[in-house]
Every structure is written in C-alpha cells, then in structure tokens.
Amino acid sequence: MNLECNYPILSTLISSDKTLIVHKRFDFDSHLQRTSVVISTPQGLMVYAKGSPDAIRQICNPRSIPADYAAVHRVYARRGFYVLACAFRAPPAKGWVMPLSTIRRDSVERDMVFCGLMILGNPLKDEAAGVITSLQDAKIRNIIITGDGALTTIHVARSLGIVGSNKILCLLDGERGGEVSYKEIGEEKESDLSQRMEMTESAKFTTRDDNFFGKRPKNDVFGSATTLNRINQDNRTLEDLVRRCTAGEEIDLAITGAALDIIRDSFEETLFNWAIERTKIFARATPNQKTNIVERLIKQGCCVAMCGDGTNDCGALKSAHVGIALSNAEASIVAPFTSANKSILDVSHVLSEGRCALETSFTAFKYMTLYPIIQLLLAATLYQLDSGMSNSQYLFDDLFIVLFLAMYMPYTGPQPRLIHDRPPDDLFSPLILSSILGHILINIIFFFICLLTLLNQTWYCPVSTALKLNPNPMSEPPPPILNLIDNFLIGAIANYTMIPFQNETCYTINPQTDLLNNLVLISTHENTVLWLFSHFQFAAVALALSLPVNYRRPVWTNVWFLLHLVLASGVMIGLVETMDDHPAFSILKYMFGLREGVTEGFRTSLWILAGMNAVMCIVWEVLVVDVFIRMWVRRRDANSGSKGEDGNIKIRKLLIRGAFVQYLSSVVVAAKNSAGVWNSRWTNRGSPWNLKMQDEEMAEPLVGKSQIVKLELISTGVSTSVDEFDGPF
C-alpha cells in the first residue's frame, strides 16, 4: 500500500524492537468530542480514533456496532466511570488521493470499525466531599460545568451531595437543531449492572445511517432506542418540566450542551435565564458554553467563582469574578489564582481569604472613621473651654496609639469555617452604619460623663478662674474665638457645678510652658483629664472592632496587635496613675503640658470609667451589631427576596402568555381555513369582521419564542388591538 506522506514523522517507542510512526494527528476537538491518528503498523497504515461513545458511533460503520452498545456505556457511566470508545480504519485499497499533510479530517474519520470501550475509573479526592459540604453550609450554590458525559457527571454530583437525595433529578437533552426533552434519572445500585445487561441483550439498535437501519427515533436523546431509555419513563417535553417546576415540585436539573443551545436559540430569554438559574449540572458543555454560562450567571447578579484545570476552562476562568486554576497549564495563565497543591481545598481558602479581606477593610474603615471623631470631640470641647491640645499630645495619639493599632489590626487571619452570612459589600450597610453610630454615641456619653465628673471635683479649677487669678498671662490679647467665658456652653457647665471652688489661688500659669503660640492655654485640668481619658477610647474601639469572629480568627491570634494593645494600655494607665510628687511627673508635664492637682482617687476612677467605656463598646459590637442587627438584616433580606418576582413567577407568566398566544393563533388559523384568504370577510353571528394577521409566522406554543401577534377586529366604530406579547415582561 503505497501512500504519499509529507507530514513530519513523530515516533513513539513502545519497546526496544517495535516503533509506531505517527504520520498524521488530528487533535482533540471539543465540538467533535474525539481525536485520531494515522500511524504505521506491520500491517500498513491504520487510522485509530478515540472519543465519547456518541461521537465514535457517528463515524463507525453501523454493522460494527453491537446491539447493546448504548446500554453498556450508559450503565458504566451511571456508576461514575469515564467511558471512551475506540475505533480503527484501514485506508482505501488505492490509497488516499491527496498527501497526508493536507488530507481533511472528515475524509479520514468515517466508515470506521468499532473496537471496544475503555472504562476508566477516576475516584473522587478525599477532600472533595468536605469542601462541597462546607460551601453548602455557607449557602454557596455549587454547580458543575463540564465536558464529560451527563450520566457520569450526575453520579459525581450525587456522590458530592450537589444533587439533593430527596429531590427528583431531571436530565434535559436534545439534538442540535432539534427538540428538547427530559427524563428522570434515578439512583443506580451496584447490583443493577448485570440486570441492565440482561435487559439490553435483545434491544434493537439504530444509528444515524437512516438508509441502513431506518429512521432514527426523534426522542432518542442519546441515539439509541433501547429498553434502557425507558427504565424510568418515556421522554417528556420541556413545557411539562417547566410546569412541574413552577408548581412547586422539588426538582434538580441537569442539562447537556445541545439542549442548552436549543433553549437559547428557540425559546424566550426568560426561559433561558430560568434554566441557567435552576440547573446544577451542565454536561457536554463546550468551552464557549462554559464561558456563556459564567457570564449569564454574572448578568443575573451572582458573584461567580470558577475552578478548572484545562484549556477548555480558560474562557470561564477569565470571565468569572474569581478564577482558580488547579493546574500549571494554560489555565494558570488566565486565572488570577493558581492552586499550588492542585487541590480543591484552595477554593475554601480563597473564599475565606476574600471574606476576611473584605471584613478587614470595613474594620479599618470603621476605626479610621471613629478615631478622628473621638479626637475631634476632644479638641472641640477643649477649645470651647478655652483650652487646647499641644503638638506633642497630637503626636502621641497619632504615632504611638492609633498608628500601630491600625497597622496591626489587619493582620488577623481568616476564619477557616465559612458561615452562611456574607460580609457586607456596601459602606452604607446597616451593619456598618449601626456600628459606627453606636460607637460614636457610646464614646460621647462616656466622654461627657468624664467631663461632668471633673466639673464636680473640689480641686478642679476652670480656665476662666485661672485666667482671672493670673492677669495678663498672654503676651497678646486673646482672639475673639477664645473669649468664650460667658457663652452658652460654659454657662450651662457652670450652672451644673454645685461644689464651690475651695482653692482660691487655683494654679499659676507660666506663659513660657503653659501656652501654645502665646494664644491657647494647654496646661489645664480640662486638658489633663480629658486627654488622658480619650486615650482609652482609641484602644477600646480598636479592641471592640477586632472581636467579631465571623470572617476572621479570634483577636488573640493576632499577636502583634494584642501585644501593642497591652503595651499601649499599660502606658496609658501609667500616665493616669503618675502622681504629682512622682519624679516622672515633671517629665510628663514638660512633654505634654499636664497640670498638677488631680487627686489619686480621681485618677483611679478615670481608668475604671475608661474600662466601663470599653465594655460598652464590646457589648455593642459583639452582641448588638453582630447578633441582633445581623439577624434583622438577614430577616429583611429574606423578606425582600420572597417579595421579589422570582424565576418561577416569570415562567408562570410566560406560560400564560404562550397559552393565550397559542389560542389566538388557533383562532386565526380557523379563520384562515374558513375564509380561504387573510383579508376576506368573515361573518361572525351576522356581523361583518375584517380579520388580519400582521405577522405571517405563528407564535410557537407555550414557552416558544412568540412572534408579534396583532389582531385587528374591525366593525362599525369598534377596533380592538392585542399587541402586548412582544418583548420581555
């Protein structure tokens, strides 16, 4: 057999004395679902092909196909095995008329002889079921989009718990360009294999060659009208399935790529969206279909994470919000995440890290919102009291307390357990706003409790009294903004102060050290007490915001944050408890402008009050916001979801609409048959009516794409138009 061969020779060594030379290779095509090679053998050139059973059957000589072909591969597929069919072909006796380098694929892959089936076992990984369970517990919808066969994928989905054991599973399939039908797929037992084989021994088999065995059954979804097709029930129409789903039956859907194309091209977009939303298994999906499914889910408002390991998954990985590659091949190039361990466990890790990152961002936002508000409250109150803060006090707050707390706060790791509540995704979420407003209110209340407690002390000397007893302490007269002794706020505070000042001399003002820029008096009792108290509020808010553990680990796992919090709290308590006669007080007075005269008992009550402030902040964040307000938000979202128009309601409307259009179409057909022409006069109960169909194509029944149907019933002074059936609801 002499054949011209211009294709580069690729050799594969099988043994030391036998070599197969590959002359032509047709790579795997996801649409054709097969691959083939032309090789040299001791018997001459041979063509070998492998692929899905349906694809190989289409290119084989019907005489070589056994009668139980479809039954056998379906039974093994139901048990979770990957089934590949193999076939071979010898070249024509006269050889091919063209060189192998330019020969077409369709001229090679035809009239082949079926060899047999390869049954491949691919057991689930140990961690797969646990990951799926954790995702389901977190109310995350799990779907399978694969190019594998439908029955094999259904077995995998049942093993993982993606398909509910208490629900009916319906598989939608169809021939491209044909109709869609469905059948219920029951669970398969190991003992059923021999029984299935016996049931298919006498089954009649048909192929695509209509001239050889006769016309192929229209509803034969998989291509073989064997007894196995009718184990559960005969095929039913798509309209029947839609009615069952909208009636409230617990049904899970599986759909093949061919059926999905038919629904997209031949039916309303509402039905296509409904199918995407309800389906849990997409089998025999092409790369483009995978991408379209992901994009459609995103268009429906879903946040989509996709994991894959092959070239066929690249488009879907790129289109998804989160793409996770489980290999180092082409998928890792387009996916933003690549699993180093090639494990599905990393899906949970990515989701945990993402939720933790979002929660950390909102926590940092809340803290950086509360910190300036607390500092503004302190500065504004001191200015109203004719006092102020020194530069060193601002630096101490910003650099020592707030900076390190804010820097170490995001280092808390993710919570490994996924909960069913998602973190808020909006700055104006009730969880965010209630947290911020609650902390503001709590800190304001305790701040003014501290201020009013100070005003009630016998040793307290207000700024107004100190200025009167120290004439001309400033080198320049104060600006009008500082002349606030008689304003409303100071008057209200003076009226609240019931205890008379017993220290007539008050304290002496040193213009060199007690004034800021010769304008603002900073070394006062108000400054000392309120500044020392506000430190604790910075730390209390940071601790309270770090305690929720829904998406982050417990705060004690963040060692650096905890160490600095303890260090800062110790320093702040030390500042409060440093008495006037302590050697370090002179240093503090020089650095921060602290005023002597604060008693020991008041100093102790100051940090105790700060502790109560911290407890209230923790209770508000952990109990009120994270429990009660979260429950309210969850209940509100559930109510809003139930009130919204779901897919079933839209499908019901579509069914009613289609039925009405079908009724109108039947009326028009009857009118046409009786009149003979569209524009003829049709007598109805003695009244002349002129009936016109303005679109010659009849609307498809039920859920089919309905054309614009407009009926004009024209009588004396009467005109009725029905044209509301074009376009979405």
Side-chain angles (χ1 to χ4, degrees):
M1 187 179 297
N2 298 322
L3 294 174
E4 181 180 2
C5 179
N6 297 325
Y7 192 78
I9 297 177
L10 303 175
S11 299
T12 304
L13 185 61
I14 296 181
S15 63
S16 59
D17 58 350
K18 187 175 182 180
T19 301
L20 298 178
I21 301 176
V22 179
H23 295 275
K24 183 71 174 180
R25 186 190 308 273
F26 295 101
D27 295 327
F28 177 80
D29 186 277
S30 58
H31 296 278
L32 298 177
Q33 300 178 9
R34 61 178 180 263
T35 180
S36 62
V37 293
V38 181
I39 63 175
S40 294
T41 66
Q43 293 77 23
L45 290 181
M46 298 290 290
V47 180
Y48 288 93
K50 67 180 178 71
S52 69
D54 293 333
I56 295 299
R57 192 200 68 245
Q58 295 174 12
I59 61 175
C60 286
N61 190 315
R63 297 179 182 273
S64 67
I65 302 296
D68 58 353
Y69 177 85
V72 172
H73 89 70
R74 291 183 194 178
V75 169
Y76 280 103
R78 281 176 176 268
R79 297 171 59 192
F81 292 102
Y82 288 89
V83 183
L84 294 178
C86 301
F88 74 94
R89 177 195 177 194
K94 298 182 179 180
W96 282 298
V97 297
M98 62 181 66
L100 288 179
S101 59
T102 59
I103 196 169
R104 296 181 57 181
R105 185 169 192 163
D106 55 358
S107 63
V108 174
E109 296 177 348
R110 63 184 180 88
D111 297 328
M112 305 190 75
V113 179
F114 173 69
C115 295
L117 298 175
M118 288 192 298
I119 310 300
L120 306 176
N122 190 10
L124 296 175
K125 294 184 178 180
D126 296 335
E127 68 274 10
V131 172
I132 297 299
T133 301
S134 65
L135 295 178
Q136 290 176 337
D137 293 341
K139 304 300 181 184
I140 296 175
R141 177 188 173 196
N142 299 287
I143 64 175
I144 298 179
I145 310 175
T146 179
D148 297 332
L151 297 178
T152 302
T153 308
I154 289 173
H155 180 274
V156 173
R158 280 181 168 149
S159 301
L160 294 175
I162 295 178
V163 176
S165 58
N166 58 339
K167 292 185 178 181
I168 302 171
L169 178 63
C170 294
L171 173 63
L172 287 86
D173 199 357
E175 301 177 12
R176 298 186 184 276
E179 297 180 357
V180 176
S181 60
Y182 82 96
K183 61 176 57 180
E184 296 181 11
I185 306 296
E187 295 198 35
E188 195 74 13
K189 299 179 180 179
E190 289 290 332
S191 59
D192 291 342
L193 177 58
S194 58
Q195 180 182 358
R196 293 284 191 260
M197 296 294 295
E198 295 176 359
M199 295 177 63
T200 57
E201 286 182 356
S202 59
K204 180 181 178 181
F205 181 75
T206 59
T207 68
R208 282 186 177 274
D209 190 350
D210 295 341
N211 297 326
F212 194 85
F213 279 116
K215 186 174 178 59
R216 181 182 180 187
K218 184 175 183 181
N219 289 331
D220 182 11
V221 179
F222 294 95
S224 173
T226 61
T227 307
L228 184 62
N229 281 2
R230 303 181 181 90
I231 290 176
N232 292 315
Q233 59 183 11
D234 293 332
N235 294 336
R236 298 180 180 178
T237 62
L238 177 61
E239 292 82 355
D240 177 65
L241 177 62
V242 172
R243 289 192 181 93
R244 293 179 60 186
C245 292
T246 55
E249 286 193 51
E250 295 292 332
I251 297 177
D252 285 334
L253 300 183
I255 189 170
T256 63
L260 193 64
D261 282 343
I262 296 173
I263 294 175
R264 182 195 61 192
D265 298 335
S266 304
F267 294 91
E268 291 279 353
E269 185 178 4
T270 304
L271 180 64
F272 182 70
N273 292 332
W274 175 84
I276 295 293
E277 181 182 356
R278 286 291 301 266
T279 302
K280 290 189 175 181
I281 300 173
F282 296 90
R284 290 291 183 215
T286 64
N288 289 336
Q289 285 178 330
K290 293 181 180 181
T291 303
N292 293 335
I293 292 170
V294 171
E295 292 175 348
R296 181 68 63 165
L297 290 171
I298 294 175
K299 188 177 180 180
Q300 291 178 357
C302 300
C303 184
V304 181
M306 171 79 182
C307 62
D309 58 357
T311 305
N312 295 337
D313 302 320
C314 290
L317 291 172
K318 186 176 181 180
S319 299
H321 292 108
V322 180
I324 306 173
L326 302 181
S327 69
N328 292 326
E330 293 88 347
S332 63
I333 300 176
V334 300
F337 299 97
T338 300
S339 173
N341 301 321
K342 313 298 184 295
S343 173
I344 197 175
L345 282 173
D346 291 331
V347 175
S348 297
H349 296 163
V350 169
L351 295 178
S352 299
E353 290 284 356
R355 290 185 170 190
C356 177
L358 185 58
E359 178 69 8
T360 300
S361 300
F362 282 125
T363 301
F365 166 76
K366 290 190 289 186
Y367 185 68
M368 298 312 295
T369 301
L370 293 170
Y371 148 65
I373 292 178
I374 294 173
Q375 195 173 67
L376 175 64
L377 175 64
L378 171 62
T381 304
L382 289 178
Y383 275 115
Q384 289 294 319
L385 297 174
D386 287 344
S387 183
M389 294 174 60
S390 65
N391 294 331
S392 58
Q393 289 176 330
Y394 279 112
L395 289 175
F396 182 83
D397 289 347
D398 296 341
L399 298 182
F400 178 70
I401 299 179
V402 176
L403 175 63
F404 289 99
L405 288 177
M407 185 172 62
Y408 293 138
M409 187 183 297
Y411 281 85
T412 304
Q415 178 66 257
R417 179 181 59 87
L418 296 172
I419 65 172
H420 57 83
D421 286 334
R422 296 195 312 170
D425 55 0
D426 185 6
L427 289 176
F428 297 98
S429 168
L431 292 171
I432 304 297
L433 293 179
S434 61
S435 177
I436 293 176
L437 296 177
H439 285 296
I440 291 175
L441 181 61
I442 291 172
N443 285 283
I444 289 177
I445 291 175
F446 277 91
F447 181 86
F448 280 103
I449 290 176
C450 178
L451 175 59
L452 297 177
T453 305
L454 170 65
L455 299 179
N456 233 4
Q457 301 301 311
T458 57
W459 48 264
Y460 165 66
C461 179
V463 177
S464 58
T465 304
L467 292 176
K468 290 180 180 179
L469 298 177
N470 293 271
N472 300 323
M474 305 179 184
S475 57
E476 298 179 5
I481 191 173
L482 293 178
N483 192 16
L484 302 174
I485 299 175
D486 296 327
N487 70 1
F488 176 80
L489 178 61
I490 299 302
I493 295 177
N495 292 333
Y496 176 84
T497 305
M498 302 299 181
I499 301 178
F501 301 116
Q502 298 180 4
N503 186 1
E504 296 296 339
T505 60
C506 200
Y507 51 79
T508 304
I509 298 177
N510 186 350
Q512 301 298 324
T513 60
D514 297 346
L515 298 178
L516 179 62
N517 297 329
N518 291 328
L519 295 176
V520 181
L521 181 61
I522 58 174
S523 182
T524 62
H525 286 158
E526 293 88 347
N527 174 285
T528 301
V529 172
L530 298 180
W531 181 68
L532 292 176
F533 178 78
S534 296
H535 292 161
F536 292 98
Q537 292 187 323
F538 295 144
V541 170
L543 176 62
L545 295 178
S546 301
L547 284 179
V549 293
N550 291 321
Y551 315 105
R552 302 197 299 168
R553 291 180 181 271
V555 65
W556 52 81
T557 61
N558 191 344
V559 179
W560 288 107
F561 175 80
L562 200 62
L563 287 177
H564 183 73
L565 184 65
V566 172
L567 175 62
S569 300
V571 171
M572 289 184 292
I573 293 176
L575 289 175
V576 173
E577 291 294 337
T578 302
M579 299 300 299
D580 300 348
D581 55 353
H582 195 278
F585 184 80
S586 59
I587 300 177
L588 298 178
K589 178 178 175 60
Y590 175 78
M591 291 179 58
F592 303 114
L594 300 184
R595 174 61 63 185
E596 64 277 353
V598 182
T599 62
E600 181 179 1
F602 185 82
R603 289 176 180 272
T604 302
S605 63
L606 194 64
W607 63 265
I608 293 177
L609 182 65
M612 297 171 60
N613 188 357
V615 170
M616 289 301 300
C617 289
I618 293 173
V619 169
W620 176 262
E621 186 68 25
V622 176
L623 183 61
V624 178
V625 175
D626 203 45
V627 175
F628 294 109
I629 296 181
R630 185 177 294 276
M631 290 174 56
W632 174 79
V633 171
R634 189 185 306 134
R635 189 161 49 248
R636 183 201 63 174
D637 293 342
N639 293 335
S640 62
S642 62
K643 293 179 181 179
E645 186 177 66
D646 58 7
N648 287 342
I649 296 177
K650 292 182 180 180
I651 292 299
R652 290 192 189 100
K653 287 186 176 181
L654 190 60
L655 287 173
I656 297 173
R657 163 185 172 178
F660 188 50
V661 171
Q662 186 184 25
Y663 170 75
L664 292 178
S665 301
S666 63
V667 172
V668 172
V669 171
K672 178 181 178 181
N673 294 334
S674 62
V677 292
W678 285 107
N679 295 322
S680 63
R681 306 291 291 181
W682 180 32
T683 303
N684 182 13
R685 294 185 180 180
S687 301
W689 296 87
N690 186 9
L691 181 61
K692 290 193 300 182
M693 172 64 93
Q694 294 191 347
D695 195 326
E696 294 184 357
E697 295 186 10
M698 301 299 296
E700 296 186 13
L702 294 179
V703 293
K705 274 191 175 179
S706 58
Q707 304 294 331
I708 300 177
V709 178
K710 187 172 183 181
L711 301 178
E712 292 186 0
L713 304 178
I714 305 174
S715 182
T716 307
V718 179
S719 176
T720 304
S721 177
V722 182
D723 59 352
E724 65 270 27
F725 297 101
D726 51 331
F729 289 101

